[in-house]
Amino acid sequence: FIPDGQEAQAGAGEEEEVETAVVGGATVESDSEVSDSEISDVSPVDSDVEGQQEKSYDRAVYREDIQLLKEKLRSKEQEVGVEGKKAGLVEGKKAGQGEESTSFKDEVPPNSLSLQFVHGYRGYDCRNNLYYTKNGEIVYHIAAVGIVYNKISHKQRFYLLHTDDILCLAIHPSQDCVATGQIGRDPSIHIWDANSMQTLSILKGEHSRGVCAVDFSADGKKLASVGLDDDHSIVMWNWSKGEKLATTRGHKDKIFMIKWDPHSQDQLVTVGVKHIKFWTQAGGGFTSKRGIFGKVEKIDTMLCVVFGTTGGVVFSGGADGKVYQWSKSALATTVDAHKGPVYVLGSIEKGYLSGGKDGLVVLWDEQFKNRLKSYQIVSSGLVEGSIKLFADLPPIKSVVLGETHFLVGTKNSEVVEIDKNGPIRVLIQGHMEGEVWGLATHPDKHICATVSDDKTLRIWDLKTHKMVAVRELGKEGRSVGYSPVGNILAVGMLDGSFSVLDSDTLKELATFHHRKAEISDIKFSPNGKYLAVASHNDLVDLYNILTQKRVGICKGASSYITHVDWEENGKLLQINTGDREVLYFEAPRGKQQYITSKDAEHLSWSRWTCVLGGSCVGIWPAYSDVTDINAACLSRDSQVIATGDDFGFVKLLKYPSKGKHAKYKQYVGHSAHVTNVRFTHDDTTLVSTGGGDLSVMVWSHSKDGTQKSDTLDYISDDSNTDSEEEGGYDSDVERDKQRDYTIKTYSNPIRDGIGGTKPHLQEAKPVSGEKKPAVSRNTTTTSIVACSQTSVGVKDLALEYIFGYRGFDTHQNLLYTADGSIIWHAAGAGIVFDPLTKKQSFYLEHNDDIICLAVCSGPTLSHVVATGQIGKSAIIHVWDYHTKETLSILHGAHPVGVGALDFSSSGKFLLSVGVDQKHSIVVWRWAEGYKVAQATGSRHVIFVAKFRPESETKFVTCGFKHVKFWTLAGTQLIGRRGVIPKSMQADLHTMLSVSFASDDITFTGSVSGDVFVWKGGILSRIVPCAHSGPVFSMYTCSEDGLVVTAGKERNKESYSGAVKVWDTGMTRFKGYSLGVFSPACVRSVCRTKGKVLIGTEKGEVLEVDEKDGSIQALIRGHMEGELWGLATSPTDDQVFVSASDDCTVRLWDIASKTLLRLQKLDQSIRSADFSPDGSLVAVGMTNGEFVLLLTKDFSIVAKKRDRSKTIQAIRFSPLLEGKFSLAVGSDDAAVDIYSISPTYAVMRIGYCRDIPSFVTHMDWSTDGKYIQVSTGVYEKLICDVSSGKVVVDTSVISRIVWSSWTSVLGNEIIGIWPHNADKADINTAHLCNSGTAVATGDDFGTVKLFSHFPIPDKYEESRSYYGHSAHVTNVKFTHDDQHLISAGGDDSCIFVWKCLV
């Protein structure tokens, strides 16, 4: 499950300049690993330096792997069809195990945490990571936290967006922003403001494993970084833009530091294991010169570097205690500076300073030759009242000069400040190198004890945030516990021993060593008489404190013991094991007790710190074999349980937590492996320890969640109640949530049940009557198809109009432009509508359904539109709506489709959201065509994403129980979920729409009809019942700041308008009813100059006048559902009819571009036809029924149902002697013939036999005696109407003249089938009335025009026309051949094409 590691790649132009030196008569390349010193041996290696050289930061699993691991485990579970482990318990293995409760109500706890203080400073493996800020505060790091510390108030502020250990830190020349680099599979560098703690940029994608060094250029515009990959890659960044400027391989051995030349913008120096290199940027790469030691000194490891005051002079600190002076790339001289490695060098106004392993800080003159002053870090130099040093002369890892003080960081995790006159004050302390596991809080004081692999026991005051006592243990400590009255401490060691100490003096009272493996937990009984000592020897030993004797041993565990708790009476123990068992033992003898999980629920425990059991099933997250819960602690009031896990998260959950995958609040700061958590005696504070990060974090705990803090709650996405909808259920919202665009495959046949061999793959058959003319202008001759008397040669098509607006699954996709035009989309077409001329123009470059649209509001780019489509490789088109010219095509980010788009305020950036499972979010530089940043949005649907109108970097996403506030920081996206204060007493609803106001105000429309008002990402108030149903759309008018809301009105009694215009604060509104268009579900609104533009779910585009509320329909179209039925009037060249799965049949006028009539039926409709005199319309439905309507008013005059399956074809016969018949073809493999009386009585008079499959198309002969039937097995039959039999006599067939041709089968038309029709169908064809051209529609969304008939040769040439997304289901020429009408299946659109001759 672990992704492969990523190796840093060398950038373009990385050819290194090779510097050579003569060594003993031989020539050696300066970049080789051969010694470039003429002195043969090398300096001895210091043990600390050797440890740093060999230290590896590789992890088996990184926090960034969480999503991938979860996805793989989720997929694996789906494949095997079983659920994952529940709560980490082994079913039926041991008594006392918890069982998941199916009735337990899962809720997020009201409690919250706020990080108050972090004990520790990362000095053991880092250097030069401690600085003064401009305002005199101190910035440093520990774990995954960037810390700004105020020494006067002794308070800290935190930067908490890193996901793993921070390894390096640099401060900007302005001293107001900071760069920090971390560990990671794809590690990031964060640049953040030291005052606001806001992210300025995140740089990522160029390093692997970690970033070990960073430095700003002298002008602060560039940043250099060094990675932990095998080549220790070097990257130069334009950090504010997030752009990589240059990169190269650094060195095979570890690099400790990179330093920018203050005299040059393109020169750098790196130092590391047995090397120093001088770099010069050259385009996208670097040239380098390796430092030449020559005869001056042995080659040595360089640990630090500083530039001289003049160009070309560099000083480096060596592992041998010397400072090396370099002139350009050659060693000039050395100075003995320290006893032991020189860890840090710095420049001051008139000289330099250095710090070393010897615990000295030394000031040097301007030539770096003479010592001016030395400072010893010793206890005797401490000012009165200072915290005590752990030890004298600690190794110095960081030194910087302030106005009056030196700031010093030590290897012992201490931050020390030295007055220039000598006095020393210890500011910060923490554990030294070695994992921290042991933690205990005092039973009645605000203090805690911690023990670590650094062999120390430390006592911390949780009020003053200071270390008040420390004791060296001589052994690695792994567990600690206070006695019930707090006078005794017990400490468990890694070697299996434990000690008992006086908690006040820390003097040892007794020691025991009965086990050989780690003491993982140690707890006093509630009465203080007994001590339980749990070990990795799979045993728990029980000791009598008074007699100091072991009185019992708990045996029976199958693995090592992880946790132990006492029952409140002190007579029973529960233990957890590494094999995930829950076991019970009697105390003090240790006899195992078998207790059912049901009985265990009635037991009361002195404290609960176990991670297994029936009452804490829910603390284990989904797919919990990804990570372990290392620690848990129940609050004293038993309302909330805190946990710490292997990914560095501290979590709060309600207690008891019996439902699987319970909801939680999550807090970050630790880098990995939170090893322990403990509440204080009064529940006001939680303390957590980080294993490898060495930190002790102190969190304030609020029971009502009202505390103010920069630490934001992260509320879990995964839980067993995620499917529950807050705010009520709505069918339209539910459809949107469940909509799956992956099933809309581009070229699959739209008809179900098709079989047989496709025509172009069948063996050729003679064309009936092939020696006769193709068409006839006289219906009495024996021609194939009867045609009109006047020949009109249709040579080309031009799209004239589209009846349709995609409103059924979209949001905010109908907009005014700057010049007053209106833009929307339908099918695969972007539509620009001129409201003055009522004409449309089109952007037709998409190849599938467009489902989102954005118009740029930038002052210079207001002509720019972006549209996003569905598809296996979804594409975004950016185009000019004036010229319809494509400006940019963006692809490769969203595998299923693009569901939301928006431009930034200037139009430079484009935001897109995918409809894939991750709902990926991408920010593009669309003009250049590249991704700036990408992030996972949510595992649930995101409906809308919008930039703040004044911002280039801030945007908001809304979706299923989701509001997230995002910031673009360089090349990374930072998202924070909206925070709902407990005082609001509100739940997060599914959010459907968003708009903005000034002062960082955001409005979001919810499924309940409420509008949530957010201030800076925190909910400030709710506008209740803004609508009685879901608020699908919101829009803020830039002209006056008024807010328009629209949605679905559920309650007609309280109806106040589906559309409302609000004041800027959303306190008052004016509502607008949609009149005859009600009830309506409004999906999009826009407003300008006294008009409100409205797009409805029913495919309508409406415009409302604000003054009088009058409504004008600009466009109407079919609603969601496949559109199949289409017919043109035989008597009126401007009229046609359409019928759809939306259960409507509609009559349209081409000249006026209007809907003339509409009839709503009770079933989906699949076919339609006009009677030969134009007086009737017949429609066939999916339940086997057909209906007759009068064309003049669409009243229903007849219904008939003789079949049970879909009627896919319905055709009137020619008018003969004032009468006509009706043929009805169905999926029952039947064609029924009906007579229609003058009073519209319908009677079946016959049917066609031996039809092998469902009927797709039918054509009547001119004499009404024969019907040509096309079937689903690609077989065309000729049937005799009177007998119903299939005609096989070719002499008879050759004499038949057809009144129309709509078949896609037969040798007469085989040429319409293309090469690529193997996986798609030709759905429809129609021969124009002049007989000169055939139009077809296929599953690729293409309308084609063939310029002659018949078309007997395979793969004949044609003209192709685009705009439909997929599945053109029907095409029909008008009676005068002036227009072609086409119907889109899934896109629900009707296209009107002008025929050109």
Side-chain angles (χ1 to χ4, degrees), residues 429-451:
Q429 286 182 307
H431 277 283
M432 299 177 290
E433 185 172 10
E435 294 187 7
V436 182
W437 282 84
L439 170 66
T441 51
H442 195 280
D444 54 28
K445 295 179 181 179
H446 286 96
I447 61 174
C448 72
T450 57
V451 294

Side-chain angles (χ1 to χ4, degrees), residues 843 845-846 854-856 861 863-868 875-881 883-891 901-903 907-912 924-929:
Y843 179 79
E845 298 302 315
H846 283 277
V855 177
C856 184
L861 297 171
H863 60 288
V864 175
V865 178
T867 41
I875 299 172
I876 301 165
H877 288 240
V878 185
W879 46 282
D880 186 316
Y881 77 81
T883 65
K884 313 304 179 296
E885 176 187 358
T886 302
L887 304 177
S888 184
I889 295 179
L890 311 173
H891 55 86
L901 289 168
D902 196 37
F903 286 98
K908 179 173 68 173
F909 296 118
L910 179 66
L911 168 67
S912 63
W924 306 82
R925 287 287 292 267
W926 63 266
E928 291 84 0

Side-chain angles (χ1 to χ4, degrees), residues 1077-1152:
F1077 301 100
S1078 297
C1081 177
V1082 179
R1083 289 298 192 127
S1084 183
V1085 289
C1086 190
R1087 176 178 175 271
T1088 186
K1089 299 176 182 177
K1091 294 184 181 294
V1092 178
L1093 191 61
I1094 299 166
T1096 75
E1097 190 176 64
K1098 294 188 291 187
E1100 301 155 328
V1101 175
L1102 312 174
E1103 193 173 54
V1104 176
D1105 189 298
E1106 285 187 25
K1107 290 183 179 180
D1108 57 17
S1110 60
I1111 303 173
Q1112 179 184 8
L1114 303 181
I1115 195 74
R1116 300 187 73 179
H1118 279 280
M1119 299 178 286
E1120 183 177 14
E1122 293 182 13
L1123 173 58
W1124 284 85
L1126 181 66
T1128 52
S1129 172
T1131 58
D1132 189 337
D1133 297 334
Q1134 301 297 316
V1135 173
F1136 67 93
V1137 69
S1138 63
S1140 161
D1141 280 358
D1142 67 3
C1143 303
T1144 68
V1145 54
R1146 302 173 186 236
L1147 192 71
W1148 307 88
D1149 183 77
I1150 297 173
S1152 64

Side-chain angles (χ1 to χ4, degrees), residues 736-771:
D736 286 353
K737 283 161 46 180
Q738 302 299 327
R739 200 174 295 278
D740 182 6
Y741 292 99
T742 60
I743 64 175
K744 294 185 179 293
T745 306
Y746 175 70
S747 61
N748 283 354
I750 193 169
R751 285 192 176 96
D752 295 327
I754 287 181
T757 305
K758 296 194 176 183
H760 65 301
L761 302 178
Q762 297 175 7
E763 292 185 8
K765 298 178 181 179
V767 178
S768 60
E770 60 182 353
K771 294 182 181 180

Side-chain angles (χ1 to χ4, degrees), residues 763-784:
E763 292 185 8
K765 298 178 181 179
V767 178
S768 60
E770 60 182 353
K771 294 182 181 180
K772 296 179 180 178
V775 295
S776 173
R777 294 174 184 84
N778 188 330
T779 57
T780 61
T781 62
T782 56
S783 303
I784 296 176

Side-chain angles (χ1 to χ4, degrees), residues 986-1038:
D987 294 314
L988 182 63
H989 298 179
T990 288
M991 296 297 172
L992 305 170
S993 53
V994 64
S995 65
F996 304 97
S998 58
D999 299 324
D1000 205 17
I1001 297 295
T1002 302
F1003 304 110
T1004 58
S1006 75
V1007 66
S1008 66
D1010 298 340
V1011 171
F1012 285 52
V1013 185
W1014 310 80
K1015 171 74 172 177
I1018 300 174
L1019 185 64
S1020 60
R1021 65 186 179 93
I1022 295 175
V1023 181
C1025 300
H1027 291 268
S1028 63
V1031 184
F1032 280 109
S1033 184
M1034 302 184 75
Y1035 180 82
T1036 301
C1037 185
S1038 59

Side-chain angles (χ1 to χ4, degrees), residues 1021-1062:
R1021 65 186 179 93
I1022 295 175
V1023 181
C1025 300
H1027 291 268
S1028 63
V1031 184
F1032 280 109
S1033 184
M1034 302 184 75
Y1035 180 82
T1036 301
C1037 185
S1038 59
E1039 299 166 357
D1040 52 19
L1042 298 186
V1043 180
V1044 187
T1045 64
K1048 177 180 178 182
E1049 295 296 335
R1050 289 180 179 143
N1051 190 347
K1052 293 184 179 179
E1053 294 180 1
S1054 61
Y1055 181 81
S1056 55
V1059 177
K1060 298 179 181 180
V1061 179
W1062 302 74

